[in-house]
Amino acid sequence: MSYFFFTDSYGHESLITCLSGQRHTVASNNNTRILSCSTDKSLRLWKIEANTQMVYRGKKASLSMECCSMVSLQNFVVGDAVGSLSLFAAAKKKPVFAVPVSVWGRSDGQNAHGVAENGEGKWVVSCAALPFTNVLASGSYDDCIRLWDVNPNNREKDGELLKSVNAIPVVGGVAAGMRSRWCRRGS
């Protein structure tokens, strides 16, 4: 079965930086979702069979949404050029949680992958979720792959819906995701 809705639907106003997709079950014919993010600071959830889309907006401080990954049909994560990871829920137009939790547009130093010498967050260039789990991996220019616990139901416990659980050091370079970028020391 082929779908032609991309030819007659409007979409992003700028470069698409990443795509992610998920189907609820292999036999499902009505739960296919494609997620796209762009340098226009928008995220779009395409409902393939219904020929519709939902538009989500990132933080105002974000320069560009660089990578995205579907955690489930209802939750997805986006990494951006200012160093934050944001968790979105399908029913909300804005992020429900973000790392870092910034104040007045400035980071408190707890960016997803640290802070560069100039005080800005390190660009999150890739992220990928293990399908149907709460595990997310993200990459940046900090010579490590970070693993995250994505738990949208954790608000009552400690409030952290995205929690860093491990950092795996990487020597050389890392390429991950549909739009692979090399993260290399000294580049």
Side-chain angles (χ1 to χ4, degrees):
M1 178 181 281
S2 62
Y3 301 99
F4 296 101
F5 82 96
F6 286 107
T7 60
D8 59 1
S9 292
Y10 63 94
H12 291 286
E13 298 171 6
S14 187
L15 174 72
I16 294 173
T17 56
C18 189
L19 296 169
S20 179
Q22 197 169 78
R23 177 176 273 177
H24 185 60
T25 62
V26 176
S28 174
N29 287 328
N30 61 357
N31 282 326
T32 305
R33 306 285 188 264
I34 302 293
L35 187 65
S36 61
C37 62
S38 171
T39 55
D40 66 5
K41 301 181 189 178
S42 73
L43 178 70
R44 293 176 187 259
L45 180 63
W46 305 85
K47 297 178 181 179
I48 303 301
E49 292 81 10
N51 195 14
T52 62
Q53 63 177 307
M54 295 288 293
V55 180
Y56 303 87
R57 300 284 176 198
K59 300 183 309 183
K60 289 183 181 180
S62 179
L63 300 173
S64 170
M65 290 187 174
E66 290 298 315
C67 57
C68 61
S69 185
M70 294 191 73
V71 178
S72 68
L73 288 175
Q74 299 303 317
N75 296 294
F76 29 94
V77 175
V78 177
D80 66 23
V82 295
S84 69
L85 278 174
S86 300
L87 175 66
F88 284 82
K92 305 281 186 183
K93 293 285 192 170
K94 296 284 185 181
V96 294
F97 189 79
V99 176
V101 180
S102 61
V103 179
W104 304 109
R106 292 293 299 164
S107 167
D108 60 359
Q110 300 300 315
N111 286 64
H113 281 266
V115 179
E117 294 82 26
N118 63 2
E120 295 178 2
K122 291 185 178 177
W123 187 357
V124 179
V125 295
S126 62
C127 63
L130 186 59
F132 308 110
T133 69
N134 63 334
V135 177
L136 177 85
S138 65
S140 182
Y141 295 99
D142 64 346
D143 295 326
C144 72
I145 298 170
R146 295 201 188 271
L147 299 179
W148 301 85
D149 176 21
V150 182
N151 190 348
N153 302 318
N154 198 29
R155 191 167 298 280
E156 293 80 29
K157 185 177 177 186
D158 61 9
E160 286 192 76
L161 308 184
L162 272 173
K163 186 182 291 188
S164 180
V165 293
N166 199 1
I168 303 167
V170 178
V171 177
V174 175
M178 295 183 71
R179 182 181 170 206
S180 298
R181 293 195 188 151
W182 284 97
C183 304
R184 182 173 288 174
R185 171 172 255 152
S187 57

